[in-house]
Amino acid sequence: MTFFVSLFFFGSIYLYLFHLNLYEEYQDSFTSSRHQIESHLQDAEENNWDSEMVASSLQIILRQDNRSIFLFDSAGEILYQPSPGEGAFIGIDSSVVEEVLAGEEMAQGMRMNGNLAYLIAAPFPAGAEQAPEHAMVMVFHELDHEIRQAVFMILFAIFITILCAAVILWFISRKLTLPLREMNKIAMKLAKGDFSQRVKIRSKDEIGQLGETFNTMAEDLDSLEQMRKDFLANVSHDLRSPLTSINGFLTALLDGTIPESRKGHYYKLMKDETDRLIKLVNDLLHVNQLEAGKIVIQPDDYNLSEQLRLTAAKMEPQLSKRQIELELSGTEDDIMVNADQNRMEQVFINLLQNAVNFSTTGSKVLIKLKKENDQVKISIRDYGIGMDEEELDHIWDRFYKADSARSRKSGTGLGLSIVKSILELHGVSIKAESKRGKGTVFSFKLPLV
C-alpha cells in the first residue's frame, strides 16, 4: 500500500512540474514570436508592403504545428490571423481582447472547441507613433496531446518501476522465504521429537542470526531431551532398586525364610531403602516448587555454628558407614547469620551428601567458616575423585549426573540444582572448584547479623 501511494505522489509531482516547465516554454515561445512579428512589421513598413503582402508573409509566423497567433487592432477587430482552415476555427473570446487592450497580460488554460488549450495574450505595439496599442493572442491548442504524452511517460515509468520492483522483491522474498521454509520444516520435525535437525546458515544478516538462534534452540532441546531421558532412566533405576529390595525382603519375611534373629537387620535395610525413596520424591517435589516459583524464603537471625554442628550429627551414620571423617573449622564461636534456617539446612545436607557420595572410603570432609567483613564464608570440601572442567560446567544443571561409575551413588542429579536455586532466592551465589583426583570445594557467603 505504501509503495503505490508513493508512486501516486511521484506521478502527481511529476505532472505538476511538467506543467510548470511546459508553461514556461510557452511563455518563451510567445516572447520569441512577438519579437519576430515586431521585426517583420517594421520591415514591411520600411519597404511599403501592402496589407495583402504583409498578411501573406506573416502566415509562417502566425500558424505553427501546435499554436496559432492572432493580432487585434485597438477596436478589437482581427488584423492578422492564420489562414482559413488552419487556425481561424479557434474562437477568441472578446472579453480576453478587451482586457489585453486595456493593458492587461493574460496566461491561462481553457477549453476551446472541446479541446484543452493554453492562451497567452499581451498588448502589442502599433506601427505608427502615438497610435493605440494592438493585442497579440497566442493559443497553444495541442495541450491535450502534451498532457497525454506526459501521462503516458509517467505510466510507462511506473510500469517499469513496478516490474523491476516485482522482480527484485521476488528474488528478495525467495532469499528470505527459502531459509524460513527450511526452518519451518525443521520446526515440524522438532515438534515430533527429532532434535537432530539443524538449519544451514547461508548469510550473516538477520535471517542468518535467526538461523543460528534456531540451531542453538535445537541444541538446547536436544540436550534437554537427553537429560530428560537420562533422568527418567535414573529415576526409574533409583525407584526400582529400593522397591525391588523392599519387595524381596518382605517376601522373605512372609515366607519365613529369614530367621527371627536376623529380622531386625532386614527391617533396618528396608528402612534405609524407604529413606532413599522419600529423599528422591522430596527432591522431585522441591524441583517442581522451585520451577513454579512457589518457594518463598523467610530469612531470620539464627546461629549458623549450631546449625552446622547439628547437621554434622545427623550425617554421622552415613559418614561412619563410609569411614569418612567430618571436620568443622571456625564453628567454635557462635556465628549469627540472617537467612532461612530450614532452607539452609537443606542446602548443607545436599552438599554434604554430595561430598559423601563422591568421597573415597577413609577420606575426609571439611566444613570451614571464615568471617569476611559483614559476611561469613562457608566452604565444604571433600578429598574425593574430583571433576574436570567439562563436568564442572554442568553440575548445576537439573538432572545432570557425573560419571556414576566413579561414585558410590550419583543420585538423580537434582541436589546441586536445588542448592543453587535456594541460594539464588537468598541473593547468594555459590562457587565450585575441583580438580581430578584432588577433590571438590563448594563455597558461598551469608550476611552476618
Side-chain angles (χ1 to χ4, degrees), residues 63 67-68 70 81 86-92 112-113 139 141:
R63 175 62 177 171
R67 64 202 68 182
S68 299
F70 301 86
Q81 66 175 349
E86 294 182 353
F89 65 91
I90 300 180
I92 306 298
M112 289 184 174
N113 298 335
V139 180
H141 46 77

Side-chain angles (χ1 to χ4, degrees), residues 4 9 42 45 56 71 82 133 135 147 153 181 197 208 238 261 292 331 341 361 365 374 389 411 436 438:
F4 289 104
F9 279 110
Q42 186 177 359
E45 184 178 356
S56 177
L71 296 178
E133 286 193 335
I147 292 177
M153 291 170 61
R181 286 198 300 268
Q197 302 297 317
D238 289 343
S261 60
T331 60
Q341 184 172 357
T361 302
V365 173
D374 59 346
E389 288 294 330
R436 178 80 67 181
K438 300 293 184 179

Side-chain angles (χ1 to χ4, degrees), residues 304-366:
L304 176 63
S305 300
E306 181 65 20
Q307 182 184 43
L308 288 175
R309 287 192 289 266
L310 292 175
T311 302
K314 292 179 182 179
M315 294 294 297
E316 184 61 32
Q318 297 184 41
L319 296 167
S320 299
K321 188 175 182 179
R322 296 290 308 284
Q323 299 178 13
I324 296 174
E325 178 186 356
L326 178 60
E327 180 181 335
L328 296 176
S329 175
T331 60
E332 297 81 8
D333 298 327
D334 290 341
I335 297 177
M336 304 296 294
V337 296
N338 182 266
D340 189 319
Q341 184 172 357
N342 293 329
R343 295 301 175 188
M344 290 309 302
E345 182 177 354
Q346 188 178 0
V347 167
F348 292 130
I349 289 177
N350 280 339
L351 289 176
L352 287 173
Q353 285 182 338
N354 182 80
V356 170
N357 288 339
F358 288 90
S359 292
T360 56
T361 302
S363 62
K364 181 172 68 173
V365 173
L366 173 63

Side-chain angles (χ1 to χ4, degrees), residues 30 38 101 118 142 160 204 206 256 287 293 346-347 419 438:
F30 177 84
E38 288 178 359
L101 291 175
Y118 189 73
E142 293 293 334
I160 295 298
K204 296 295 183 180
E206 288 79 1
V287 167
Q346 188 178 0
V347 167
V419 167
K438 300 293 184 179

